[in-house]
Amino acid sequence: MRDVKVLASSGNEMIAHAFRQVDPDVVAAYPITPQTIIVERFAKFVADGLVHTEYVQVESEHSAMSASIGASAAGARAATATASQGLAYMWELLHVAAGMRLPIVMANANRALSAPINIHGDHSDVMGARDTGWIMLFAEDAQEAYDNTLIAFKVAEHPDVLLPVMSCLDGFITSHALERCVLNADEDVKEFVGEYKPEHPLLDTDNPSSHGMFANIGNLYMEAKFAERKAMDCALDHIKAAGNEWAEITGRPFEVVKSYGLEDAERVVVAIGSAAGNFRHVARQLREKGEKVGVVNLRVFRPFPTEDLIKALSGVKALAVLDRADSFGASQAPLAAEVRATLYDVEDRPATKNYVYGLGGADLTTNMCEQVFEELKAVAESGKSEPGIHYIGHRTIEEA
């Protein structure tokens, strides 16, 4: 490993540096809070001549994804960034990018969806996009936002995968807060990511190919979707391989399921994103008092790390699944639904309880974390999962 640079940086700035080091052929983007700093910083890198990227300031997020699709189909290494309503504005094109098997990398600074209007972080935007065919990586902190973004390029462009990847980070909490970060050498990044060599670029006139074809005859559409499913299924192995390769270069460990205290934990919290750090802090304090508690943080959400999660939760009695998004009308919020489905066929599965927290950037305090661990005692003693969704950290209608 070559010399590294230690700096105080935000998640947004670290992703901008990741883009700079990868030096994509095309970045098409539209600024939207809390993602704006990513493309703002990267635009400056372009203006200063630090990259050779064709930077396209489009008029909307729909156009940003349209331009990214066109660039990627033409054979370019393409990247973009968005958040919240911007991601929602891309909705139809998210399916197009995945269905055309285009390895676009997109940073998404997770933010609440209107209404009411809110610019702060939760996972409502990305959970609404979970079935669009994109691989989804989640960062707990700014360092992981950087690492995940670099890993995303390597995974997306693998010939066995060729799927777009979202590098997600919690709006304002991870996107804006300054942390101690390590920026690896440009040369190490370029060697790790490698040169992108598209297999069927649209502009290769010597070897003509078709993209985005009409598939309304027989079962051609279903065949394409089956191939997309197989690519997503094999992506987890490639995520692990790329993550482990980057870990060898940097010394920073990579796990698709990050565990704390799971060697003997009876009560465990499962979360994604920045909330895991809050729960880990409280879990340390409780373990010093002799309580057998633990925390699981999913760094990969799509493809869902089923076997890794089952292995991590072996022997656990009670499980709290913390969702930063709701799925209105469903019996469980998105992450809890995935976790419960994963554990359904496990013989000695833990009893579970689903919490929704932090919508619109609402605080997740240490007192709330303690409350969750405390309430899990009753779940562990009964051995029965609690039905429904439990909101935490909000005022009731009567209190409001």
Side-chain angles (χ1 to χ4, degrees):
M1 182 176 68
R2 298 175 176 89
D3 290 340
V4 300
K5 183 178 181 180
V6 178
L7 66 163
S9 186
S10 67
N12 278 349
E13 290 175 328
M14 291 300 290
I15 288 177
H17 278 297
F19 280 8
R20 174 187 61 77
Q21 292 177 313
V22 172
D23 197 0
D25 299 306
V26 175
V27 169
Y30 187 84
I32 180 172
T33 304
Q35 168 274 123
T36 301
I37 294 171
I38 297 175
V39 295
E40 182 180 78
R41 294 288 189 272
F42 188 76
K44 189 174 188 307
F45 294 147
V46 174
D48 291 343
L50 299 179
V51 293
H52 299 93
T53 304
E54 182 69 29
Y55 180 74
V56 186
Q57 176 68 65
V58 293
E59 72 275 12
S60 72
E61 291 85 2
H62 191 281
S63 299
M65 186 50 62
S66 295
S68 298
I69 288 171
S72 185
R77 175 177 273 167
T80 186
T82 193
S84 185
Q85 310 298 134
L87 183 66
Y89 199 12
M90 294 177 175
W91 225 256
E92 61 174 319
L93 294 169
L94 298 179
H95 292 273
V96 173
M100 289 178 65
R101 306 294 298 280
L102 301 176
I104 300 164
V105 171
M106 176 166 63
N108 186 63
N110 300 322
R111 176 189 136 186
L113 290 169
S114 300
I117 296 172
N118 185 289
I119 65 167
H120 291 282
D122 69 24
H123 298 156
S124 301
D125 56 356
V126 71
M127 287 302 169
R130 65 190 181 274
D131 295 328
T132 58
W134 284 63
I135 294 168
M136 294 179 177
L137 310 180
F138 279 82
E140 181 180 332
D141 52 33
Q143 187 68 65
E144 285 191 4
Y146 169 75
D147 293 339
N148 285 355
T149 303
L150 297 177
I151 291 166
F153 282 98
K154 182 113 174 164
V155 172
E157 295 169 359
H158 193 284
D160 293 340
V161 179
L162 292 178
L163 288 172
V165 181
M166 285 190 207
S167 177
C168 302
L169 66 163
D170 288 353
F172 286 105
I173 301 169
T174 308
S175 67
H176 281 60
L178 292 179
E179 303 177 39
R180 180 192 182 278
C181 295
V182 174
L183 187 68
N184 288 85
D186 294 356
E187 296 83 1
D188 282 335
V189 171
K190 284 179 168 52
E191 289 176 9
F192 167 73
V193 175
E195 182 183 352
Y196 175 45
K197 298 179 180 178
E199 291 191 35
H200 304 289
L202 191 60
L203 295 184
D204 183 0
T205 54
D206 292 332
N207 300 283
S209 60
S210 299
H211 292 254
M213 295 299 292
F214 187 64
N216 203 36
I217 301 172
N219 62 0
L220 292 178
Y221 179 85
M222 194 164 181
E223 288 176 8
K225 291 301 164 184
F226 179 70
E228 195 176 330
R229 153 61 74 173
K230 297 295 287 184
M232 182 65 80
D233 286 346
C234 81
L236 191 63
D237 286 339
H238 293 290
I239 293 170
K240 291 178 180 178
N244 290 333
E245 182 182 344
W246 186 239
E248 289 181 7
I249 295 169
T250 64
R252 296 187 291 273
F254 180 89
E255 297 172 293
V256 296
V257 175
K258 298 165 55 183
S259 301
Y260 170 75
L262 269 290
E263 61 276 2
D264 64 350
E266 297 178 351
R267 291 173 284 140
V268 171
V269 164
V270 175
I272 51 179
S274 59
N278 297 46
F279 279 101
R280 197 181 302 112
H281 171 73
V282 171
R284 287 194 187 100
Q285 295 177 328
L286 293 176
R287 289 185 69 84
E288 289 174 359
K289 299 176 182 178
E291 298 194 35
K292 296 181 178 180
V293 297
V295 179
V296 167
N297 182 17
L298 301 188
R299 191 163 177 173
V300 179
F301 183 73
R302 282 289 183 270
F304 198 77
T306 300
E307 296 302 323
D308 296 87
L309 186 61
I310 291 173
K311 182 179 179 180
L313 297 177
S314 176
V316 172
K317 292 182 178 180
L319 195 65
V321 184
L322 273 291
D323 272 276
R324 205 163 201 151
D326 203 344
S327 182
F328 303 110
S331 63
Q332 298 285 277
L335 180 58
E338 298 279 353
V339 172
R340 282 191 165 181
T342 290
L343 297 174
Y344 183 79
D345 292 322
V346 176
E347 186 173 347
D348 296 320
R349 60 182 179 269
T352 61
K353 184 172 183 177
N354 185 200
Y355 292 87
V356 168
Y357 75 99
L359 300 185
D363 289 337
L364 176 65
T365 66
T366 55
N367 287 339
M368 290 162 57
C369 296
E370 291 170 2
Q371 177 185 338
V372 169
F373 280 119
E374 183 64 27
E375 290 179 358
L376 272 185
K377 288 181 179 179
V379 178
E381 289 173 2
S382 69
K384 296 181 179 179
S385 297
E386 291 197 13
I389 297 171
H390 306 269
Y391 271 58
I392 188 170
H394 70 295
R395 292 186 301 171
T396 64
I397 295 175
E398 291 77 17
E399 291 171 333

